[in-house]
Amino acid sequence: MAETRTGAGAPTVLRVVLGKRLQHLREKAGISYQQAGRALDVTHVTVRRIEKAEVGLKIPYVEKLLRVYGVTDQEEIDGFVSLAREANQPGWWHSYRDVLPEWFSAFVSLESSSDVIRAYEPHYVPGLLQTERYAHAVLRAGNPDLPEADVHRLVSLRMERQELLTREQPPMLWVVMDETVLRRSIGGRDVMREQIDRLLESTEMTSIRLQVMPFNAGPHPAMYGPFHLFRFPAEELPDVACSESLIGAVYFDQVDDVTAFLEALDRMCAQAPPVARTRAALSALREEI
């Protein structure tokens, strides 16, 4: 993935994993891209695109490559093919493709497959912790010319994303928010009260860690903007960092790049008050509103 600015078809994470597995098998067998391409009667570019999950996994190609790479056990081949069929299915978010930006399709795919999600947010409550009314206010402000029906679709997508927090094995969500997030009124007092109540509820969930960076903490390493960091259970996948902007996002998976984001998060988590004090701070703010 290295550095990518859009989703480029937003492959499912499983497709990325299988592409990397095919790459590993090819390299282990000592077969070049050109040799693999000749076995499929395609160019070497097609083999590269398969490994990078830039195209779907054609089942005849997958079966042929596995055999060329020395996989002879039929049960192993059948298992790989079964996963390839699953990987070719569009993600659940595909039904929102009419309103979902391509770059954000990749974000939702990464989010849905992570077992650890860490984030820094200086502007607003992260989408996974937003109430419906708060989400509507944020999305309307960010998309002033969008038809109301499309805004409602985006809100529905955001609410559906939150279901991963209540599944049987939810990811660990660790968020650092600036105090600005809680001080900026979005949607009015009633909406903000409701949103803070939602955050208070989230502090009771064992899979969520929430820290607030107060104004008096001074400068910190990530004052340049929001970002997320995703970690996956599949060993083939490196950590991925996502840095958002007004018109899209940049995704990084090179070790040096991701390490910079990770170190910034670790420093902020050490600088911000501990998780145990978050609830008291939220309760005090709730009384002020």
Side-chain angles (χ1 to χ4, degrees):
M1 188 177 298
E3 178 178 325
T4 309
R5 292 190 175 275
T6 67
T12 61
V13 169
L14 178 56
R15 201 168 91 200
V16 176
V17 169
L18 295 182
K20 287 184 177 294
R21 288 183 183 175
L22 285 172
Q23 179 183 0
H24 173 72
L25 288 170
R26 178 182 58 77
E27 293 173 346
K28 184 179 179 181
I31 295 174
S32 68
Y33 284 120
Q34 290 75 12
Q35 291 171 317
R38 285 195 292 271
L40 296 180
D41 197 24
V42 298
T43 69
H44 68 280
V45 175
T46 298
V47 179
R48 288 179 182 270
R49 297 187 70 195
I50 290 173
E51 292 182 358
K52 292 181 178 295
E54 294 175 352
V55 294
L57 293 165
K58 292 185 178 181
I59 301 306
Y61 285 3
V62 170
E63 292 178 325
K64 183 63 179 280
L65 287 175
L66 289 173
R67 296 187 187 281
V68 169
Y69 297 161
V71 180
T72 57
D73 184 273
Q74 189 60 45
E75 186 174 344
E76 184 177 352
I77 293 174
D78 291 344
F80 199 107
V81 167
S82 177
L83 289 175
R85 294 186 193 279
E86 180 182 344
N88 284 333
Q89 297 301 311
W92 63 263
W93 56 90
H94 186 69
S95 61
Y96 291 96
R97 63 189 181 280
D98 55 320
V99 295
L100 188 62
E102 185 176 315
W103 70 267
F104 198 63
S105 295
F107 184 97
V108 178
S109 176
L110 295 170
E111 179 182 77
S112 298
S113 301
S114 300
D115 62 357
V116 177
I117 302 171
R118 297 184 65 181
Y120 165 62
E121 182 51 66
H123 302 308
Y124 54 83
V125 173
L128 289 178
L129 298 177
Q130 291 178 7
T131 65
E132 188 168 349
R133 291 200 296 170
Y134 184 98
H136 184 277
V138 167
L139 289 165
R140 170 47 71 202
N143 302 274
D145 299 322
L146 200 65
E148 186 62 20
D150 289 347
V151 174
H152 279 292
R153 291 273 291 153
L154 289 172
V155 172
S156 295
L157 167 63
R158 189 155 295 184
M159 296 301 102
E160 192 165 348
R161 283 170 53 206
Q162 294 180 6
E163 293 180 7
L164 67 85
L165 296 178
T166 56
R167 65 192 184 192
E168 186 174 347
Q169 292 184 314
M172 169 62 70
L173 175 64
W174 191 349
V175 175
V176 179
M177 297 190 306
D178 269 344
E179 184 178 346
T180 308
V181 173
L182 303 175
R183 296 292 179 180
R184 176 178 289 114
S185 180
I186 293 179
R189 295 176 66 183
D190 288 345
V191 171
M192 288 303 297
R193 288 194 191 99
E194 182 182 57
Q195 180 60 67
I196 292 174
D197 287 342
R198 170 74 173 89
L199 293 175
L200 283 167
E201 292 172 3
S202 74
T203 64
E204 298 177 356
M205 300 175 66
T206 57
S207 61
I208 296 178
R209 297 178 183 176
L210 181 61
Q211 291 179 269
V212 177
M213 183 74 74
F215 294 137
N216 62 14
H220 58 77
M223 295 182 67
Y224 48 82
F227 63 89
H228 281 70
L229 191 145
F230 304 100
R231 180 163 293 170
F232 310 94
E235 62 181 15
E236 293 90 346
L237 289 180
D239 292 351
V240 175
C242 172
S243 178
E244 298 179 45
S245 69
L246 184 63
I247 59 173
V250 182
Y251 296 89
F252 305 88
D253 69 356
Q254 298 300 301
V255 173
D256 290 346
D257 295 331
V258 175
T259 298
F261 287 98
L262 183 59
E263 288 181 350
L265 277 169
D266 287 343
R267 290 179 183 275
M268 283 190 293
C269 290
Q271 184 176 347
V275 175
R277 290 171 54 186
T278 298
R279 185 172 180 83
L282 289 171
S283 297
L285 180 60
R286 177 69 170 76
E287 293 299 318
E288 291 182 27
I289 299 177

